[in-house]
Amino acid sequence: MDDYLRRTAITRIIVSDEQADLLEATISDWQHGATHASQIGWRKNEDSKYGLQQLAYDDVREETRLGSQHAILATHQAASALTGVNELKDKGRNVSCPEFTSPTIKYDANTLTLFDDNTVSLSTVESRVRCELVLPEDDDGYQYQFLNDDEWSVTESTLTARDGEYFLHLGFRKPNPFDETGSPAEDRTVLGVDLGIENLAVTSTAHFASGKKLVHDHDQFEQVRGGLQQTGTQSAHRTIVGRDDREERYSRDKLHRVSNAIIEEAVEHECSHIVFEDLSYIRDRMANAKRFHQWAHRKLIQFVTYKAEALGIRIEFVDAAYTSQRCSECGHTSRGNRPVQAHFECEKCEKTLHADYNAAKNIGWRFVRRGLNDSRRTGNSQLALKSGTVTPKRGFIPYSVVS
């Protein structure tokens, strides 16, 4: 989890004709520099920020008038784009080297400075320009909560040119409200989440998010896509690109809905932590699954993470080995506990329940026990269930019923 809370505040800036010319020139060089770095990363199969920075920095400086820091940022932007393209490649998509044509440019604390008089200084290919921020007249405007609070500091931001005007997407950050050990000292309530295929996500509070429709619709997309590829015409290629974009939007929308439901479960049950199984374990456990499923799980965790972060809920991961074979009631672990894919029946205590729900509870339990064995912690941990919470000593506390 990120050590910082991050927010973005958008504001227009007032620029003179001379300043506009400098900003336009800087955006143009940025587009060229980022595209050039992207081409180098594409040829060298490098999409890590610092790996591509080492490969492309000198070339970007030679090819453009960008200053040293903007050249670094351009290589980082190219690396992020290449990472996104590689994710699409993992889904079996036809991809090409990213090009940067949008009229935008990245800034950071070294290339952008905010002043108390609500002006901003921006680096360009020549001199810096200082521009006035256009802010709400009311003191309670959204931007002021970041501009007037010393806890928030400026981080990576984006300048966008649109219809002759310039907009700053100002990035702010402040430390997360957790101590250096990574856990709050107070009591914590854990929501365990199991990820799968038939059920995309199941929580320890017994919320089931089905993945059947998402998988079915993806398979339908793939069937149509295969037929179009066999056609091989330019028209078919354009149709494939359009359908790929629609599927991408559809899949992301579905994953956003599932992530919202997980967040709602955490909020409703007053959870301080949401716990997933380690992504590497998901990949190994689903070695025969389609890349689409692995992509969906990664995206779902990303969506849950940034939404939880905004609420001060922490995301954690545990080694999920044997969580599908372990009884969440008595702890007995055996392959025989799972006679069929969706059903769990403990050979020892004879407890029966849905296999994914059992796994979700085990994932949460594993993190609860980790906290129990952590000498740095002073608070207690409990697992959130559908009807109450349970502590490591198996003390069950039902949720209060409001009549």
Side-chain angles (χ1 to χ4, degrees):
M1 185 175 182
D2 198 339
D3 292 333
Y4 295 92
L5 295 178
R6 299 178 186 272
R7 297 293 183 274
T8 301
I10 303 174
T11 180
R12 184 168 63 87
I13 60 175
I14 299 174
V15 302
S16 67
D17 291 342
E18 182 180 356
Q19 290 173 332
D21 289 341
L22 285 173
L23 291 174
E24 289 293 339
T26 308
I27 290 172
S28 178
D29 276 33
W30 167 270
Q31 292 169 332
H32 179 60
T35 298
H36 187 68
S38 178
Q39 292 168 346
I40 293 175
W42 180 264
R43 292 195 302 270
K44 300 290 187 179
N45 194 29
E46 177 62 72
D47 66 357
S48 70
K49 286 185 176 181
Y50 297 104
L52 187 55
Q53 177 182 323
Q54 288 184 330
L55 286 175
Y57 172 80
D58 290 339
D59 286 61
V60 172
R61 289 301 306 276
E62 291 178 4
E63 290 282 330
T64 70
R65 296 171 292 168
L66 295 175
S68 59
Q69 187 62 22
H70 259 146
I72 291 172
L73 293 174
T75 64
H76 291 182
Q77 182 75 0
S80 296
L82 288 167
T83 299
V85 164
N86 287 333
E87 286 186 359
L88 293 177
K89 186 189 297 183
D90 288 343
K91 293 174 63 181
R93 303 284 181 82
N94 291 325
V95 296
S96 58
C97 180
E99 294 184 8
F100 293 84
T101 58
S102 297
T104 63
I105 181 173
K106 292 289 185 182
Y107 280 88
D108 64 3
N110 294 313
T111 52
L112 177 154
T113 305
L114 282 176
F115 296 96
D116 291 338
D117 61 355
N118 294 329
T119 61
V120 60
S121 172
L122 302 169
S123 293
T124 72
V125 290
E126 294 183 14
S127 59
R128 276 186 171 245
V129 296
R130 186 161 177 171
C131 310
E132 182 181 350
L133 301 177
V134 179
L135 297 171
E137 294 182 2
D138 296 333
D139 292 338
D140 59 353
Y142 178 76
Q143 295 91 335
Y144 290 118
Q145 63 183 295
F146 309 111
L147 293 170
N148 297 336
D149 187 343
D150 290 339
E151 285 192 39
W152 292 100
S153 59
V154 177
T155 184
E156 190 169 285
S157 305
T158 303
L159 176 71
T160 300
R162 185 170 68 245
D163 298 328
E165 295 186 318
Y166 297 86
F167 297 85
L168 267 177
H169 295 241
L170 289 167
F172 292 91
R173 73 179 188 181
K174 71 176 181 180
N176 248 328
F178 293 93
D179 65 20
E180 294 179 355
T181 66
S183 298
E186 67 273 10
D187 295 350
R188 59 187 182 183
T189 302
V190 176
L191 181 74
V193 182
D194 177 66
L195 301 179
I197 297 175
E198 184 170 335
N199 288 302
L200 191 59
V202 178
T203 70
S204 59
T205 54
H207 173 79
F208 286 72
S210 175
K212 290 182 179 180
K213 181 169 174 52
L214 183 66
V215 172
H216 171 76
D217 290 342
H218 171 71
D219 289 342
Q220 292 294 104
F221 273 113
E222 288 298 296
Q223 288 179 14
V224 174
R225 192 171 185 273
L228 290 169
Q229 283 180 327
Q230 290 182 354
T231 301
T233 64
Q234 288 186 347
S235 176
H237 176 72
R238 288 194 296 269
T239 303
I240 288 173
V241 173
R243 291 187 67 88
D244 285 351
D245 289 342
R246 286 198 297 275
E247 187 198 1
E248 177 83 9
R249 291 193 298 271
Y250 169 81
S251 298
R252 290 174 70 92
D253 178 69
K254 173 64 176 177
L255 295 172
H256 270 298
R257 292 174 185 270
V258 174
S259 68
N260 288 339
I262 293 173
I263 294 296
E264 289 172 4
E265 286 293 302
V267 171
E268 179 181 348
H269 295 88
E270 299 181 347
C271 296
S272 59
H273 290 68
I274 299 173
V275 181
F276 293 97
E277 53 193 317
D278 184 78
L279 278 172
S280 62
Y281 180 80
I282 296 175
R283 183 178 61 250
D284 294 340
R285 176 167 59 86
M286 298 184 182
N288 296 323
K290 294 180 179 179
R291 288 178 175 177
F292 172 76
H293 301 137
Q294 297 179 15
W295 171 85
H297 292 148
R298 290 197 304 269
K299 280 298 176 186
L300 178 59
I301 290 176
Q302 288 177 12
F303 293 159
V304 172
T305 298
Y306 83 77
K307 293 172 184 179
E309 179 185 86
L311 298 173
I313 300 172
R314 192 172 182 86
I315 302 298
E316 294 286 352
F317 298 90
V318 296
D319 178 359
Y322 305 110
T323 53
S324 63
Q325 301 174 18
R326 182 183 186 278
C327 178
S328 57
E329 293 295 320
C330 73
H332 176 67
T333 303
S334 169
R335 288 185 178 181
N337 285 348
R338 195 170 181 178
V340 295
Q341 179 67 23
H343 184 66
F344 183 93
E345 183 175 352
C346 182
E347 294 175 320
K348 183 177 181 180
C349 72
E350 300 183 347
K351 177 70 176 181
T352 62
L353 68 167
H354 193 283
D356 294 341
Y357 178 48
N358 178 72
K361 291 200 291 184
N362 280 328
I363 290 167
W365 265 126
R366 187 154 293 178
F367 185 71
V368 168
R369 290 196 300 273
R370 179 198 295 177
L372 185 67
N373 297 325
D374 188 348
S375 61
R376 299 171 301 178
R377 282 192 44 77
T378 59
N380 297 316
S381 295
Q382 56 190 3
L383 178 66
L385 303 175
K386 183 177 182 180
S387 55
T389 60
V390 62
T391 65
K393 294 182 178 180
R394 297 290 169 171
F396 178 73
I397 306 171
Y399 297 125
S400 59
V401 178
V402 179
S403 57

